[in-house]
Amino acid sequence: DKLATLKKLLEGAADMDERILNSFKTQQGQKVVINLTDGKKQVAIVDVQGTTITGTEERYVQGATTRTSVSFSVKDLAAEERFRRMGSSDLPEVALIKGVTALKFKDDQLARSYFTKANPILADWFLNYVQRTNSQATAQIRGESIDVNPTSVK
């Protein structure tokens, strides 16, 4: 039973990009503000094909409207946009991926909060990983401060 639960969790986590892409499919024909890694854009969503979202960005320049075709993928989304489109953190697979994403962006405290909502089997492993990583970083900092030789400074 635990193995089946774990398998379901990992399958749900593996499908997270698809969940994000589907959130754009429901917005086809709508203008939405999207947080990308290179900034915010207001885009009218035109289509979602494979892993690519295409749309039209309108800009107003000197009283004229210009329309530019834009395309992007899930990897181009800023972390907060990904989190928003993943759905509720009450779902273990969402909490797991949000925790991993928070680790990627080096936010251990946020990662820890998500991992506590994930399946206990994986949550314990990831929480221990965060704790070990923090302990190693603390040891390195202490080691560096011990290595400083104040007599060599003039």
Side-chain angles (χ1 to χ4, degrees):
D1 188 44
K2 286 183 180 181
L3 191 56
T5 302
L6 188 57
K7 181 180 182 235
K8 182 180 175 188
L9 173 70
L10 293 174
E11 286 172 347
D15 290 338
M16 202 56 60
D17 281 0
E18 191 65 33
R19 180 186 296 233
I20 294 169
L21 289 166
N22 286 337
S23 75
F24 284 102
K25 287 179 183 177
T26 65
Q27 294 180 314
Q28 284 179 311
Q30 298 176 26
K31 284 185 185 177
V32 294
V33 175
I34 302 166
N35 291 315
L36 299 167
T37 54
D38 63 350
K40 290 184 179 184
K41 290 186 180 187
Q42 184 171 7
V43 177
I45 304 298
V46 175
D47 197 13
V48 179
Q49 290 291 322
T51 60
T52 303
I53 302 113
T54 56
T56 305
E57 181 181 21
E58 289 185 358
R59 291 190 183 192
Y60 302 99
V61 180
Q62 298 177 351
T65 303
T66 61
R67 289 181 179 84
T68 307
S69 180
V70 294
S71 63
F72 54 93
S73 68
V74 172
K75 69 177 175 56
D76 299 318
L77 300 174
E80 63 269 15
E81 186 75 30
R82 289 182 197 184
F83 281 16
R84 189 171 61 79
R85 290 181 176 275
M86 284 179 195
S88 173
S89 300
D90 293 334
L91 299 170
E93 65 272 17
V94 174
L96 176 64
I97 293 300
K98 285 183 178 182
V100 170
T101 303
L103 274 182
K104 180 180 174 184
F105 287 95
K106 303 202 183 319
D107 191 336
D108 294 348
Q109 187 174 358
L110 184 60
R112 190 175 288 114
S113 73
Y114 286 125
F115 289 143
T116 59
K117 297 178 181 182
N119 180 287
I121 296 170
L122 289 177
D124 289 345
W125 186 88
F126 277 108
L127 288 169
N128 286 333
Y129 173 81
V130 170
Q131 185 176 357
R132 279 193 317 271
T133 303
N134 287 342
S135 296
Q136 289 171 351
T138 301
Q140 285 178 348
I141 291 168
R142 287 182 181 153
E144 290 172 3
S145 65
I146 291 169
D147 290 341
V148 172
N149 183 356
T151 60
S152 66
V153 178
K154 299 195 181 217

